[in-house]
Amino acid sequence: MEASNEMGLKLIGFWASPFCLVVEVALKLKGFTYDYQEENLEEGKSESLLRYNPIYKSVPVFIHDARPIVESLVILEYLEDLLREPPLLPADPFARARVRFWVDFFYKKIVPPLRSIVVKEGVEQEKVISESTQHLRTLEQAAAEEFPTETPFFCGDLPGLLDIVFGSTVCWIRVLEELTGSQMMSKETTPVLCRRIESFTGCHAVKEAMPKHEKLLAYARRLRERILALNAG
Ligand SMILES: N[C@@H](CCC(=O)N[C@@H](CS)C(=O)NCC(=O)O)C(=O)O
């Protein structure tokens, strides 16, 4: 299949969103050409976001030939269905199921406590940091025991679904660590995950799409101030 925007592909995204980053990285890895519309979530929501995603009103929204597809994982599966190469999932059905399990674990167990770090304070914040750290250690154990450790990525020589989902969140993990003076991942405690991140962030597609640390940190500070002020008021 020709990778060109004659297919009418468009992404509505927000630069600081890890859910949008996973879609951007997958699009770039697969070589799709697409239009991009930045949704300034700090200012509100555009009419097109509300029209294309009336249920969740969130980004990313992927549009193919005027038809919207929402939810980052649904979009990634759609991209895989649209163009198999390079594959995001291994060929073996059992290996595919294991990747899907750990992606699901990441979204259900790691993302929620990570997301709440920025809006919590004191003991409550320590609790969600510890929860995130503990689940990252569980993922580390799986990375060491269930997946080959001699290859650069979880399933071999190419970045796949798990690399994209985990790797795209790392910029936020680093920002949250700096914001709170904590350490959720390190070469000592999560060595395999750290190697996976190194391989992932070394990819051209990732370098192009990953937000810069200082810009993301400033955004996280603004977000925290805004939410804490809302909670106080
Ligand atoms: N489960 C969704 C989460 C998407 C999400 O939470 N997007 C955030 C940006 S990081 C958003 O659009 N927030 C605006 C809102 O929900 O009001 C996915 O995987 O796509």
Side-chain angles (χ1 to χ4, degrees):
M1 190 188 301
E2 184 85 77
S4 113
N5 206 18
E6 280 158 23
M7 294 171 74
L9 306 179
K10 180 173 173 176
L11 174 66
I12 303 181
F14 174 54
W15 69 272
S17 165
F19 304 103
C20 298
L21 185 58
V22 298
V23 175
E24 277 208 80
V25 169
L27 281 164
K28 287 181 193 300
L29 287 172
K30 284 193 178 282
F32 285 115
T33 304
Y34 58 97
D35 290 336
Y36 179 79
Q37 180 186 316
E38 175 71 8
E39 184 71 25
N40 188 351
L41 286 182
E42 288 196 88
E43 298 288 315
K45 290 179 185 177
S46 68
E47 184 272 326
S48 59
L49 173 64
L50 300 177
R51 179 160 41 92
Y52 282 124
N53 190 359
I55 309 279
Y56 292 124
K57 305 176 179 62
S58 60
V59 287
V61 173
F62 183 64
I63 301 159
H64 181 191
D65 258 344
R67 295 174 307 177
I69 298 127
V70 301
E71 288 296 297
S72 54
L73 288 183
V74 177
I75 300 170
L76 292 193
E77 294 270 358
Y78 183 79
L79 295 179
E80 182 75 347
D81 287 343
L82 214 53
L83 185 64
R84 297 274 169 205
E85 295 297 325
L88 299 184
L89 284 162
D92 173 64
F94 183 74
R96 291 164 85 88
R98 291 316 291 165
V99 167
R100 286 189 169 113
F101 171 83
W102 286 110
V103 165
D104 184 63
F105 173 86
F106 192 82
Y107 267 63
K108 279 191 185 138
K109 295 297 225 183
I110 300 181
V111 168
L114 275 181
R115 278 187 101 155
S116 61
I117 290 174
V118 81
V119 298
K120 299 271 186 200
E121 293 182 278
V123 180
E124 286 296 307
Q125 190 179 64
E126 280 167 28
K127 227 167 93 185
V128 282
I129 291 172
S130 145
E131 206 183 315
S132 311
T133 309
Q134 191 191 321
H135 293 315
L136 282 164
R137 300 272 169 93
T138 305
L139 183 63
E140 166 73 18
Q141 200 178 340
E145 291 172 5
E146 273 200 40
F147 295 93
T149 49
E150 67 285 2
T151 57
F153 301 100
F154 279 96
C155 294
D157 293 327
L158 295 173
L161 197 65
L162 193 48
D163 298 279
I164 296 173
V165 164
F166 166 63
S168 298
T169 310
V170 155
C171 49
W172 265 104
I173 294 179
R174 296 308 183 209
V175 158
L176 293 169
E177 285 178 332
E178 186 164 342
L179 203 63
T180 58
S182 62
Q183 194 174 55
M184 290 180 271
M185 290 179 46
S186 72
K187 284 191 172 143
E188 288 70 41
T189 58
T190 53
V192 183
L193 294 184
C194 286
R195 287 207 302 277
R196 296 284 171 261
I197 291 163
E198 240 173 75
S199 308
F200 183 73
T201 49
C203 297
H204 182 64
V206 179
K207 282 188 194 150
E208 273 184 358
M210 184 84 94
K212 296 280 167 285
H213 179 79
E214 290 309 323
K215 189 178 173 196
L216 199 57
L217 181 63
Y219 169 71
R221 289 203 165 110
R222 283 199 301 281
L223 183 67
R224 179 169 168 77
E225 269 169 34
R226 190 155 45 89
I227 294 173
L228 291 182
L230 272 177
N231 291 347

